[in-house]
Amino acid sequence: MGRPLVLIHGYSDKGESFFPLRDALKARGVALIDINICTYISLNNEITINDIAEGLERAFRNHPVMKNNPDFDAIVHSTGMLVIRSWLTNYGTKATGNKRLERLKHLIGLAPATWGSPQAHKGRTWLGALVKGDKDFLGPDFLNAGDRVLEGLELGSSFTWKLAHLDLLGPEPFYDKGDKTPFVAVFIGNQAYQGLQKVANDPGTDGTVRWSGCSLNTRKIRIDLSQVPIDPDGTPVLLDKDGNARQRAWITPFASGRLDVPMIAVEGRNHGTIIHDPEPAMVDLIAQFLKVDGSATYDQWLDRAKVSSAKALAKMCANPDPGFFGRIFSHADEELEGWQQFVVHAIDERGDPITDYMIEVIKDGVLFKPMYTDVHAYGPDQSYRCFHIHLPKGLSDSDMKLRARIHASTGTELMTYQGYGDGRQELTATSAPIELDLTLGERGTLFFPFTTTLIEIVLTREPLPFNETARILKWVDDTQ
């Protein structure tokens, strides 16, 4: 008997959807007895992705083979990536000594919703309930659309932000080239839905998941404009004699012992057909990937996969119909490097959310307008926002001069946000923004195609007026 292979489906789906891929893998020598397909409930308004991950652990404990904690492989589709990653984090256990991480040897994501989906916030509407909702007549979940799962899947969600800090951006890599963490591969179709489903398509997606939001290659930029900035390691930055910090922006590198997990494009497939009608070359690559046994064989496999998917990837770089705003800011014949996603989170020095703010990128002295043609604020907490852009050719040039312009408002004259750079800038609804240099030096450019970049902004929140008793709390005059 070979190593068990676990298959985990996506939101609103069933395990039976994996039957075509199961049969294709069987034809390539994967024993049917080794393939274990699970099915889970997602269309229940009280169920969370973490709940499903806990259900996966319970299923393992009660499986005739998996209960003995053997090594295994996994293939996940869409939301299944968030389920397996949540299970791997093991209640916040770090990578070293994480038994779950050590057991999983190969992880294959098919159109994974690594950073959610632009369709998720639409699913919570009544229309979403009618189209995707549970139709079990008069059952306990009748017309449930899985509100809490969709909340985690929404673009810029706090769930995906926090999860990435556990496994993608933590001090210890969850996915490296050693034998204590899984090797990971990510595939996604290069076209969106056709026919009647075409109305749901968004540019730069497979119909459900953004091409730039599926890979596990990510970086984070921290911009700390508070009075005493804290670096990414949690250390206060020393101020000079004038009270200015030497550094206020940091960016993590792509590689710090971490595995390179780019997107592998699949020709002629969308979010559904990638598993309902698996492309033969992709299935061949999957079968080969399951035999990867070290960093050398992984690198060799990745080189083959990139060559195999080159033509499919080229079609993802074609400029789409840009729509009304895109026609203003770009040209239809403009050559693209690809797509990129930014997730921005703004907080004050206490970690409380800033919900009314703006960030602008200045490229070579000019406002980079494509950054603002597709912006989504996370519904439950608008301090999280997701930006989706297509990158014109040459935009990832590391010599480009970039600046960030940041503005925020508390919404009341009793409080204000402050940004510290060259001096102190009070930020109100009518004030000027604060600017800072975003030149990233040896760590390269802000722009990388087919990736997601996190940006964290920190400002100081203070009562007004400064340097005297604030209006929100005064002493009672007891002399009267």
Side-chain angles (χ1 to χ4, degrees):
M1 182 176 177
R3 190 162 47 223
L5 176 61
V6 175
L7 277 58
I8 307 175
H9 63 77
Y11 164 78
S12 80
D13 209 349
K14 299 292 184 183
E16 289 80 0
S17 293
F18 270 118
F19 285 177
L21 180 61
R22 175 202 63 183
D23 295 341
L25 290 172
K26 180 183 175 184
R28 285 160 177 80
V30 179
L32 187 60
I33 193 173
D34 295 332
I35 300 176
N36 303 270
I37 304 175
C38 68
T39 191
Y40 62 85
I41 295 172
S42 59
L43 298 178
N44 177 301
N45 287 343
E46 305 307 321
I47 296 297
T48 68
I49 295 172
N50 282 328
D51 289 338
I52 299 169
E54 185 66 24
L56 177 63
E57 172 63 18
R58 188 72 61 84
F60 282 158
R61 293 178 192 171
N62 289 277
H63 187 278
V65 175
M66 299 300 293
K67 68 180 181 181
N68 296 318
N69 297 322
D71 294 344
F72 71 100
D73 302 321
I75 300 177
V76 299
H77 178 235
S78 194
T79 308
M81 177 61 90
L82 296 178
V83 172
I84 193 72
R85 286 173 59 208
S86 298
W87 179 81
L88 286 171
T89 59
N90 198 4
Y91 306 103
T93 302
K94 63 181 182 179
T96 301
N98 187 333
K99 298 303 181 183
R100 294 183 182 181
L101 203 59
E102 293 178 9
R103 288 177 58 196
L104 182 59
K105 296 304 176 185
H106 300 88
L107 172 58
I108 299 168
L110 303 180
T114 305
W115 293 100
S117 165
Q119 305 298 334
H121 70 281
K122 305 171 187 177
R124 285 199 298 272
T125 64
W126 176 247
L127 177 62
L130 289 176
V131 173
K132 281 290 190 182
D134 193 307
K135 303 300 194 302
D136 290 343
F137 185 64
L138 297 183
D141 301 329
F142 179 65
L143 287 184
N144 274 208
D147 281 1
R148 298 190 69 185
V149 171
L150 288 171
E151 187 176 292
L153 282 168
E154 187 175 337
L155 294 173
S157 76
S158 57
F159 172 79
T160 52
W161 177 279
K162 293 171 183 176
L163 181 59
H165 281 75
L166 291 174
D167 69 342
L168 301 182
L169 295 166
E172 294 184 356
F174 261 49
Y175 314 102
D176 63 24
K177 294 186 177 183
D179 60 359
K180 299 297 185 181
T181 69
F183 291 99
V184 188
V186 167
F187 299 86
I188 192 167
N190 71 344
Q191 69 177 33
Y193 297 125
Q194 305 297 310
L196 292 177
Q197 289 180 304
K198 191 173 182 179
V199 297
N201 292 338
D202 287 281
T205 74
D206 69 349
T208 295
V209 170
R210 287 176 173 170
W211 296 328
S212 59
C214 65
S215 83
L216 269 62
N217 288 345
T218 190
R219 297 185 304 168
K220 178 183 175 182
I221 297 172
R222 178 177 170 87
I223 301 174
D224 193 333
L225 300 174
S226 63
Q227 188 170 12
V228 180
I230 307 296
D231 71 17
D233 295 326
T235 304
V237 176
L238 295 177
L239 306 180
D240 62 22
K241 60 183 179 60
D242 297 320
N244 297 320
R246 293 187 178 90
Q247 186 174 4
R248 289 190 173 274
W250 299 264
I251 185 167
T252 60
F254 272 121
S256 179
R258 291 174 171 82
L259 195 68
D260 180 19
V261 189
M263 170 202 74
I264 304 300
V266 179
E267 177 60 41
R269 298 302 187 271
N270 61 36
H271 193 73
T273 56
I274 198 169
I275 60 168
H276 300 152
D277 180 23
E279 199 260 342
M282 180 191 76
V283 180
D284 289 338
L285 285 170
I286 290 174
Q288 295 164 15
F289 181 76
L290 292 173
K291 298 177 182 178
V292 166
D293 59 2
S295 61
T297 54
Y298 176 79
D299 291 340
Q300 293 167 4
W301 178 89
L302 186 56
D303 288 342
R304 290 195 301 270
K306 288 179 178 178
V307 170
S308 175
S309 68
K311 290 184 179 179
L313 179 63
K315 295 180 181 179
M316 293 171 154
C317 296
N319 204 337
D321 178 2
F324 175 75
F325 290 106
R327 293 187 187 100
I328 295 174
F329 298 136
S330 64
H331 301 283
D333 58 353
E334 183 180 34
E335 190 177 2
L336 301 184
E337 290 192 18
W339 299 78
Q340 187 170 355
Q341 190 171 245
F342 292 88
V343 179
V344 182
H345 185 211
I347 56 175
D348 64 25
E349 79 279 16
R350 295 181 289 266
D352 292 333
I354 299 174
T355 57
D356 186 1
Y357 70 95
M358 178 178 67
I359 178 172
E360 296 176 313
V361 174
I362 311 299
K363 179 177 75 73
D364 295 329
V366 179
L367 179 67
F368 182 58
K369 293 181 179 179
M371 189 94 176
Y372 311 100
T373 58
D374 189 353
V375 184
H376 176 80
Y378 177 50
D381 182 352
Q382 296 198 12
S383 65
Y384 294 93
R385 297 183 191 171
C386 188
F387 298 74
H388 189 217
I389 62 174
H390 56 261
L391 304 177
K393 200 70 174 178
L395 193 62
S396 60
D397 183 354
S398 60
D399 294 331
M400 189 174 300
K401 302 299 182 183
L402 298 174
R403 292 183 66 79
R405 183 185 292 162
I406 296 169
H407 202 185
S409 172
T410 65
T412 174
E413 294 182 353
L414 297 174
M415 301 292 297
T416 187
Y417 290 115
Q418 294 179 59
Y420 287 82
D422 296 331
R424 183 186 70 194
Q425 173 69 49
E426 181 180 335
L427 300 175
T428 68
T430 59
S431 71
I434 188 168
E435 289 192 20
L436 77 156
D437 184 23
L438 269 185
T439 302
L440 303 173
E442 296 179 356
R443 297 232 171 134
T445 175
L446 179 67
F447 302 107
F448 275 89
F450 301 112
T451 65
T452 293
T453 298
L454 277 62
I455 302 177
E456 184 174 60
I457 301 169
V458 186
L459 299 171
T460 293
R461 181 181 173 99
E462 290 282 355
L464 287 173
F466 295 119
N467 302 321
E468 56 184 283
T469 302
R471 292 196 293 268
I472 61 171
L473 192 152
K474 296 181 179 180
W475 298 112
V476 175
D477 184 358
D478 60 358
T479 61
Q480 298 180 358

